[in-house]
Amino acid sequence: MSDPARDSAKHEGAASRRSWQPYVVAVTATAVAAALRLWPLQALEARVAWLTFYPAVVVAALHGGLAAGIISGVLSCLTVLFLLPLIVGRTFIGDSVDWLGLAVFFATSILISSLAEATRSARARRLEAEVERDRFFTLSLDMLCVAKSDGYFKSLNPAFTQTLGWSVAELQARPFLDFVHPEDRAATLREVARQVVGGESVLSFSNRYRHKDGSWRWLSWKSVPAGQLMYATARDITELLRAQDAQRQLAAIIESSEDAILSWNLSGEVTSWNQGAHRLFGYSAPEIIGQLLAILIPPDRVEEGMTALDRLAGGGRLEPFDTQRRRKDGTLIDVSVTISPLRDASGRIIGASKIVRDITERRRAEARIAQLNADLQDRALQLADANNELEAFAYSVSHDLRAPLRHVHGYVDMLERALAGQLSEKSQRYLKTIADASVEMAQLIDDLLAFSRMSRAEMHASRVDLGALVQETIQELKRATPGRTIIWEAAPLPPVVGDGAMLRQVLVNLLDNAVKYSRLRDPARIEVGCAGQEDGRAIFFVRDNGAGFDMQYAHKLFGVFQRLHRAEDFEGTGIGLAIVRRIVARHGGRVWAEGAVNRGAAVYFTLEPSTAATSRD
Amino acid sequence: MNPFHRILLAEDSLQDAELTTEALTSHNLANEVVHVRDGAEALDYLYRRGSFAGRVNGQPAVVLLDLKMPRVEGLEVLRQIKSDPDLKLIPVVVMTSSREEQDVVNSYQLGVNAYVVKPVKFNEFADAVRQLGVFWAILNEPPPGSRSNEGRVVG
């Protein structure tokens, strides 16, 4: 491949060299003709001396064109008229016929020169056209080629190499169909046949050619047949197709978006409108494209639209803002809007695009959440009020209800002493009943307060060694029950998560009950253990062989002041198991009981086992 | 003669006051009891103002203080006694019906010397009061300035 710049420089150098060359040739040819006339043609003497010079003029004209031919003709005439006579010493032009002959020679010389010139310049023009064509062929960025009907490329320009990677020689070495994608070969053959057989031009045909690196390039062809040849141009449209694909995808995404996406030009006319916009605003695309965007803006928000335009003119993007827009049917909708400027290829702002999201639902949800929060706060306040009232109530009970009982007991006691010796047995029993009743009521109040305290007290969760608590409780109970035979069977228990003080209360109440209701057994047997798991919680139990209970009343067992035994048989107010249930419930567990009359009872409760991760000690 | 010391009993309930006095009688401590009906009176007594402006010198050997009283309640009386340099040495025993934890904690934080829950049973109540009277009014050596020279001021 030749460098066009160097080519033209060479041409110019040759031309300047040739500018004087024709005249040298003309002079030389004329001189040679004169020499020939002197020798060996001296025998011609003075006859038709100019004839000898015709070849010189022809040579000069053919070589150097019009000017050279005329110079040669003029020199020839001068030679005949003056030089030869000077050398030979004889006149060559004597009579009028000689002059006529010389004149005809000169005229003929001019004619010959003109014809030679015409031929020469025609050839030069042709050459120049060829060079230009070759240059165009070589330099074209489009692919140009000539293909033969036998299926080979006749010639190809370098653009093919740039696009496909193969050298021109490589492309010419094989049938061009070899380079075509197998799926496109049939179509390619059809197009070739249309040209070669039908003589039709191909104006738009695309197929895939293999690049040397193995990839496929989409080429778009235009081709004109001429006999057995096809003159074709091709363009690589791979990137274009890829861009079109990407654009199609983007368009599909925009079209299928739930949000309304639209654009408008600087005159404020809508230029694009997706399905989402149709759904949101009620206008179809054909209805609104070309219309003024302002019809979407409620009258009281026109100002807002102007501000937005000013901001856009500065090139900025508008952060999403919440506003209202008007639908086709006139209703207003709450929307969130994002506006971005649109620019042309040179960066000039030519309009804007807008994404509009319907936030009516979101607004409604926000309002609902706000309402729920307000309700929740109300409830929390009510609960706090109720708690405070409960505190105040408990405090008041603690103080005010106990004092009168103390007075009753105190004055009964003083009355007894004041009337010492004067009271009948009956009266003494009455007074004792009054005193006992006051004590019992005080106990009930204390129990009720204890129960209320367990419900109100703050819980402090930590890892609790339930087994150790059981052992401590058993030791205390042993000290409290001298003279009784109790067989204690305490299995090892897994540690749990909970409030240590509260869980101690649970064990105290349960074991206390077991001791109490097994009072008539000798030996009494009290068992503490773990009975597996339930929903990730460990099941614990306390079992005794005591009085037991009737299972049909099991549901009453854990109620406040509920008793299944007579007070004469077993003392107590019936608060213990209620407290147990409340504490276990506060730990997220449950409690239940199994038993049979005179065959003992078992109380089960569940607690969260402590894992290493929750261990705190 | 026994070096009896005065006992200031701050108690709004006449019954409780009578029961308390009754319990102290058996140890001949009743004569030394000064009974006031609420916190304001108790403070008036200690500061010798109002109806107590003319009382005899000296402070009680012990104050038996109920918590729930009209006008100024017990904890406030306790707070004022224990924050006054002139009064804070006086032993104060809270005697109340309440076993609420907050009352116990508050009392000890304010510097109470003892906290006694009044038992419902009279014999237990009487025992408790007697022991308190004997301990604070007889056994305990009071801070200087609480010796009684004259009889009781208010009955």
Side-chain angles (χ1 to χ4, degrees):
Chain A
M1 208 171 72
S2 54
D3 179 348
R6 214 165 52 221
D7 265 8
S8 75
K10 211 153 65 189
H11 278 289
E12 277 165 30
S16 67
R17 223 179 12 260
R18 239 179 265 142
S19 59
W20 45 267
Q21 203 177 8
Y23 308 111
V24 175
V25 171
V27 172
T28 310
T30 310
V32 168
L36 285 172
R37 180 68 207 193
L38 292 173
W39 187 89
L41 296 177
Q42 77 271 32
L44 286 176
E45 295 182 346
R47 279 190 286 270
V48 289
W50 56 86
L51 277 182
T52 321
F53 292 88
Y54 272 119
V57 170
V58 169
V59 166
L62 282 179
H63 185 270
L66 182 63
I70 288 174
I71 286 173
S72 177
V74 170
L75 283 176
S76 298
C77 288
L78 293 175
T79 306
V80 170
L81 284 174
F82 308 109
L83 190 60
L84 290 179
L86 199 67
I87 295 169
V88 183
R90 171 182 352 116
T91 309
F92 281 73
I93 300 299
D95 54 14
S96 56
V97 176
D98 285 343
W99 282 106
L100 184 64
L102 190 63
V104 169
F105 165 75
F106 189 69
T108 312
S109 302
I110 292 174
L111 192 65
I112 288 168
S113 299
S114 301
L115 285 172
E117 175 71 29
T119 312
R120 239 175 57 89
S121 64
R123 204 182 63 220
R125 271 202 304 278
R126 206 171 55 242
L127 261 174
E128 200 176 324
E130 260 173 37
V131 166
E132 209 167 275
R133 205 185 55 220
D134 281 355
R135 198 183 299 166
F136 184 70
F137 187 76
T138 310
L139 295 182
S140 169
L141 294 177
D142 278 347
M143 285 166 275
L144 305 174
C145 69
V146 183
K148 293 178 287 184
S149 56
D150 65 2
Y152 282 83
F153 286 117
K154 181 169 179 283
S155 55
L156 297 140
N157 74 342
F160 271 94
T161 304
Q162 273 173 14
T163 304
L164 296 177
W166 308 99
S167 71
V168 168
E170 281 170 331
L171 286 167
Q172 285 173 323
R174 288 151 66 186
F176 55 70
L177 221 49
D178 276 11
F179 297 97
V180 174
H181 194 285
E183 289 172 17
D184 297 340
R185 280 181 191 159
T188 306
L189 273 177
R190 256 198 318 275
E191 294 297 316
V192 169
R194 244 159 44 103
Q195 295 177 75
V196 177
V197 180
E200 294 175 51
S201 296
V202 171
L203 294 178
S204 167
F205 172 69
S206 304
N207 60 8
R208 281 163 286 180
Y209 264 66
R210 197 172 57 229
H211 191 279
K212 200 170 182 177
D213 67 12
S215 65
W216 295 98
R217 314 292 294 182
W218 274 100
L219 300 184
S220 165
W221 295 91
K222 283 189 170 65
S223 180
V224 181
Q228 294 302 299
L229 297 179
M230 291 164 285
Y231 293 82
T233 67
R235 280 193 319 142
D236 181 2
I237 56 167
T238 315
E239 292 306 321
L240 187 70
L241 289 179
R242 206 169 283 163
Q244 278 175 354
D245 263 3
Q247 202 173 14
R248 254 197 304 279
Q249 278 173 18
L250 278 179
I253 290 169
I254 287 175
E255 197 51 34
S256 62
S257 165
E258 270 300 310
D259 292 340
I261 301 177
L262 52 133
S263 64
W264 66 95
N265 59 19
L266 289 181
S267 321
E269 296 158 355
V270 175
T271 51
S272 74
W273 190 260
N274 75 343
Q275 271 298 321
H278 185 172
R279 275 193 302 273
L280 184 58
F281 292 107
Y283 294 99
S284 69
E287 263 181 305
I288 199 157
I289 284 179
Q291 299 285 314
L292 288 177
L293 184 75
I295 62 174
L296 301 177
I297 300 180
D300 57 326
R301 289 186 187 268
V302 172
E303 198 85 331
E304 180 188 290
M306 303 306 288
T307 322
L309 285 179
D310 286 348
R311 289 277 295 281
L312 283 179
R317 174 173 179 269
L318 287 184
E319 288 307 312
F321 60 96
D322 292 351
T323 179
Q324 281 190 322
R325 287 292 178 262
R326 193 170 54 181
R327 305 192 59 206
K328 186 182 179 185
D329 60 15
T331 54
L332 295 179
I333 38 175
D334 288 318
V335 292
S336 162
V337 175
T338 309
I339 304 179
S340 312
L342 289 178
R343 298 165 189 278
D344 65 7
S346 64
R348 251 172 352 111
I349 292 176
I350 54 168
S353 72
K354 185 193 249 182
I355 300 175
V356 187
R357 174 166 294 181
D358 185 354
I359 56 168
T360 316
E361 263 313 306
R362 195 181 84 196
R363 276 282 158 78
R364 215 171 283 159
E366 280 170 359
R368 254 201 313 271
I369 288 169
Q371 183 59 49
L372 285 175
N373 272 338
D375 288 354
L376 205 59
Q377 271 173 4
D378 280 354
R379 296 259 172 84
L381 279 177
Q382 284 170 8
L383 197 63
D385 277 355
N387 259 339
N388 287 339
E389 273 171 28
L390 195 64
E391 294 273 335
F393 174 74
Y395 192 80
S396 166
V397 166
S398 181
H399 270 95
D400 301 348
L401 258 49
R402 286 165 55 87
L405 294 171
R406 198 168 54 240
H407 303 157
V408 169
H409 200 275
Y411 282 93
V412 166
D413 192 275
M414 290 197 286
L415 182 62
E416 266 183 327
R417 276 187 285 133
L419 297 176
Q422 304 170 40
L423 283 171
S424 68
E425 220 165 273
K426 207 174 193 180
S427 301
Q428 281 180 9
R429 189 168 60 79
Y430 291 161
L431 286 176
K432 183 174 186 304
T433 304
I434 294 171
D436 287 352
S438 66
V439 170
E440 190 188 344
M441 185 162 172
Q443 186 60 49
L444 286 170
I445 290 171
D446 280 352
D447 287 350
L448 206 53
L449 285 173
F451 179 72
S452 143
R453 223 179 352 257
M454 280 304 162
S455 307
R456 288 177 291 135
E458 239 179 82
M459 289 205 351
H460 304 283
S462 66
R463 184 176 185 271
V464 176
D465 184 350
L466 215 54
L469 280 185
V470 168
Q471 289 304 332
E472 285 171 29
T473 311
I474 288 176
Q475 293 312 316
E476 281 168 24
L477 285 169
K478 275 181 180 169
R479 277 196 291 278
T481 54
R484 281 197 51 190
T485 317
I486 301 176
I487 299 171
W488 294 95
E489 288 178 8
L493 302 178
V496 297
V497 178
D499 182 304
M502 287 187 174
L503 293 182
R504 172 190 291 275
Q505 188 67 56
V506 167
L507 291 174
V508 167
N509 288 8
L510 292 179
L511 291 171
D512 214 29
N513 272 355
V515 167
K516 181 163 74 182
Y517 291 107
S518 63
R519 192 155 59 199
L520 302 176
R521 298 284 180 272
D522 193 12
R525 182 182 298 273
I526 299 174
E527 243 182 291
V528 184
C530 180
Q533 291 215 335
E534 174 193 81
D535 298 336
R537 289 172 180 279
I539 304 173
F540 300 94
F541 66 88
V542 174
R543 185 179 293 136
D544 64 64
N545 62 343
F549 62 92
D550 189 340
M551 274 300 274
Q552 67 172 308
Y553 303 119
H555 61 282
K556 286 185 153 186
L557 218 46
F558 297 96
V560 176
F561 297 148
Q562 291 286 350
R563 304 212 61 214
L564 297 185
H565 297 274
R566 289 198 202 92
E568 304 97 274
D569 297 338
F570 295 102
E571 73 287 351
T573 57
I575 201 72
L577 286 180
I579 289 178
V580 165
R581 187 181 66 167
R582 177 57 57 96
I583 292 174
V584 170
R586 287 193 70 185
H587 282 75
R590 69 182 192 102
V591 60
W592 68 98
E594 288 169 2
V597 174
N598 284 326
R599 286 166 58 188
V603 177
Y604 296 84
F605 58 100
T606 65
L607 290 170
E608 184 189 335
S610 166
T611 59
T614 54
S615 167
R616 294 187 196 177
D617 44 20
Chain B
M1 181 182 152
N2 285 333
F4 282 164
H5 305 305
R6 259 168 296 158
I7 296 172
L8 178 64
L9 175 64
E11 171 63 75
D12 63 321
S13 157
L14 287 174
Q15 288 85 356
D16 268 322
E18 190 176 356
L19 290 173
T20 306
T21 312
E22 175 68 24
L24 290 171
T25 307
S26 58
H27 276 75
N28 295 325
L29 287 164
N31 287 349
E32 290 294 319
V33 173
V34 178
H35 177 213
V36 292
R37 299 286 308 276
D38 59 43
E41 277 191 14
L43 291 170
D44 281 352
Y45 179 86
L46 293 171
Y47 284 110
R48 299 170 65 177
R49 65 194 181 198
S51 51
F52 297 101
R55 76 165 171 86
V56 294
N57 287 335
Q59 296 295 10
V62 65
V63 179
L64 299 183
L65 189 63
D66 190 20
L67 287 185
K68 208 174 169 211
M69 291 186 293
R71 298 208 282 171
V72 179
E73 61 172 33
L75 284 176
E76 175 59 21
V77 174
L78 177 62
R79 194 188 64 73
Q80 290 201 24
I81 292 174
K82 291 302 178 184
S83 57
D84 185 324
D86 293 335
L87 301 180
K88 68 178 177 188
L89 295 179
I90 303 172
V92 179
V93 176
V94 164
M95 256 180 65
T96 181
S97 306
S98 165
R99 58 172 85 247
E100 283 290 298
E101 194 180 318
Q102 52 175 352
D103 283 337
V104 182
V105 169
N106 286 339
S107 299
Y108 276 109
Q109 272 176 351
L110 289 172
V112 80
N113 299 78
Y115 190 103
V116 176
V117 178
K118 298 176 195 166
V120 170
K121 287 182 181 168
F122 181 69
N123 48 347
E124 293 172 15
F125 175 81
D127 269 355
V129 172
R130 265 195 299 273
Q131 283 174 30
L132 281 174
V134 168
F135 178 79
W136 291 105
I138 301 176
L139 295 178
N140 188 47
E141 187 61 33
S146 53
R147 198 138 295 202
S148 159
N149 301 325
E150 299 176 20
R152 61 188 193 162
V153 175
V154 174

